[in-house]
Amino acid sequence: MRKVVWGVLSTARIGIEKVLPEMLASPLIELRAIASRSLPAARAAAQQLGIPRAYGSYEELLADPEIEAVYNPLPNHLHVPLTLQAAAAGKHVLCEKPIALSAEEAATLRAAAGRVRIEEAFMVRHHPQWQRARELVRAGRIGTPRAVQVAFSYFNDDPANIRNQAAIGGGALYDIGCYAILSGRWLFEAEPRRVVALVDRDPALGTDRSTSALLDFGAGRQLAFTVSTQSCPYQRVQVLGTRGRLEIRIPFNAPRGGAMQIALDEGGALDGSGVQVETLPAAEQYRLEAEAFSRLVRGEPGPGYGLDDALAQARVIDALWRSERSGRWEDIA
């Protein structure tokens, strides 16, 4: 396959430290340019990573006729505006999560998504451990899945950090709660019908520092999660079925090139003696994500998650915010 030529909007830490090194290692990708509102910052990132071109504005990169696809890891409130600009320039866009701050805002991408490919960047869907977990559930190894339980937390109370700035989409639900929602949608292979949320906001920052929720997927299927930006670092996904359970031990921040493990318990012994641990091959989930997107850009077959999938995510988050305000169950609009 002919390489897809990529550009990157911003020198965001997630890109510099995690995504871009994996993209640079791919035989399907040519990472040709990086842009920042600060030309020195763009040049420093380009030199560090070996990217040929550096631009001092996003508009300059989008005007580069050789760039075919763009990775957008900008702060949450800039996801839609810059994705629209990229699409208007004829670039395909892999946009970091959440793709928008509301379903209404996400829907403004619909016309652009008819011209270029736009996808919300959930790298976990491409990791072997997530694909194996779904395979085990589909095969009935835990019986009928009844509950997915997710815990995801870290500690960061720095007011200068964009994750702690409410006006631009900071807080636990937008940053990591989206992964919990995806966990239920991925493993149940369904959409939730209604939700209820309990939100604790930082009195100084205004962001949700801890959010817990219960999502009703119908047919007795439930997703329960707690996410927090001010708790000890931890993450786990449990799937409970009628005959067993499985556990993804490092579900979201799988280390680069790490061999991950899934624990499968078909015996149900309370002391864990029935647990079988399966080690998955080492993988680089950001590289797999970008390669899958590149194949779709070239018209090759493969898994794709377009705007409808991103809208489904956004509708759930909208309903959780409504539940925070109402204190009641809220239907997914």
Side-chain angles (χ1 to χ4, degrees):
M1 172 184 128
R2 181 166 53 91
K3 289 185 177 182
V4 174
V5 180
W6 284 73
V8 182
L9 300 177
S10 99
T11 54
R13 183 176 175 182
I14 185 176
I16 299 300
E17 295 184 358
K18 295 183 178 181
V19 183
L20 305 190
E22 295 191 15
M23 292 177 69
L24 286 162
S26 172
L28 306 184
I29 292 168
E30 181 181 346
L31 186 50
R32 188 171 293 180
I34 188 167
S36 170
R37 288 176 173 169
S38 162
L39 182 57
R43 284 174 172 166
Q47 183 176 13
Q48 175 186 340
L49 294 169
I51 299 172
R53 299 177 189 171
Y55 291 110
S57 74
Y58 307 136
E59 291 73 20
E60 286 181 273
L61 184 146
L62 296 177
D64 186 333
E66 296 180 359
I67 302 297
E68 299 174 274
V70 165
Y71 171 57
N72 178 359
L74 288 162
N76 293 343
H77 70 301
L78 296 177
H79 285 176
V80 167
L82 267 297
T83 294
L84 285 171
Q85 287 186 41
K91 317 300 186 188
H92 305 277
V93 184
L94 180 64
C95 181
E96 268 303 334
K97 52 72 192 167
I99 202 166
L101 298 181
S102 69
E104 181 180 13
E105 186 187 28
T108 65
L109 297 170
R110 192 173 291 283
R115 301 191 302 271
V116 297
R117 177 165 292 280
I118 297 174
E119 185 172 307
E120 189 171 25
F122 279 111
M123 71 293 183
V124 295
R125 290 186 285 209
H126 302 274
H127 197 289
Q129 67 176 342
W130 280 83
Q131 294 171 355
R132 179 57 174 160
R134 179 188 262 185
E135 182 180 286
L136 290 168
V137 172
R138 284 176 173 175
R141 295 288 296 275
I142 62 169
T144 302
R146 297 294 191 203
V148 175
Q149 299 175 340
V150 179
F152 193 2
S153 60
Y154 60 84
F155 196 97
N156 180 348
D157 62 356
D158 177 8
N161 191 287
I162 61 171
R163 291 174 175 82
N164 293 320
Q165 298 176 20
I168 62 173
L173 183 56
Y174 280 136
D175 189 38
I176 52 180
C178 56
Y179 286 111
I181 294 165
L182 183 76
S183 300
R185 296 179 58 234
W186 176 263
L187 292 162
F188 286 135
E189 299 189 67
E191 302 296 339
R193 299 178 179 182
R194 57 179 185 150
V195 304
V196 66
L198 179 63
V199 177
D200 173 47
R201 292 191 175 270
D202 185 291
L205 300 173
T207 54
D208 62 310
R209 59 185 174 188
S210 292
T211 292
S212 296
L214 185 62
L215 281 63
D216 176 11
F217 282 76
R221 298 169 297 180
Q222 302 174 2
L223 164 65
F225 72 78
T226 294
V227 292
S228 177
T229 60
Q230 293 184 27
S231 297
C232 68
Y234 181 73
Q235 53 186 260
R236 198 75 88 237
V237 171
Q238 297 268 359
V239 190
L240 306 179
T242 53
R243 295 201 309 272
R245 69 175 181 90
L246 67 83
E247 175 181 282
I248 308 177
R249 293 182 167 174
I250 310 180
F252 309 115
N253 295 120
R256 183 182 180 192
M260 296 295 94
Q261 293 183 332
I262 290 179
L264 178 64
D265 184 359
E266 296 176 278
L270 295 182
D271 64 358
S273 58
V275 172
Q276 309 166 51
V277 177
E278 180 177 347
T279 300
L280 280 300
E284 297 179 349
Q285 57 187 352
Y286 294 105
R287 171 177 168 174
L288 293 171
E289 173 187 55
E291 287 181 342
F293 190 85
S294 296
R295 290 189 183 96
L296 294 172
V297 166
R298 286 285 177 258
E300 295 194 3
Y305 308 95
L307 187 61
D308 286 343
D309 182 84
L311 280 166
Q313 277 279 130
R315 292 186 188 105
V316 178
I317 293 176
D318 283 355
L320 289 166
W321 292 139
R322 292 197 302 272
S323 180
E324 177 194 9
R325 295 189 295 269
S326 71
R328 301 189 301 268
W329 284 93
E330 294 286 344
D331 292 336
I332 306 297

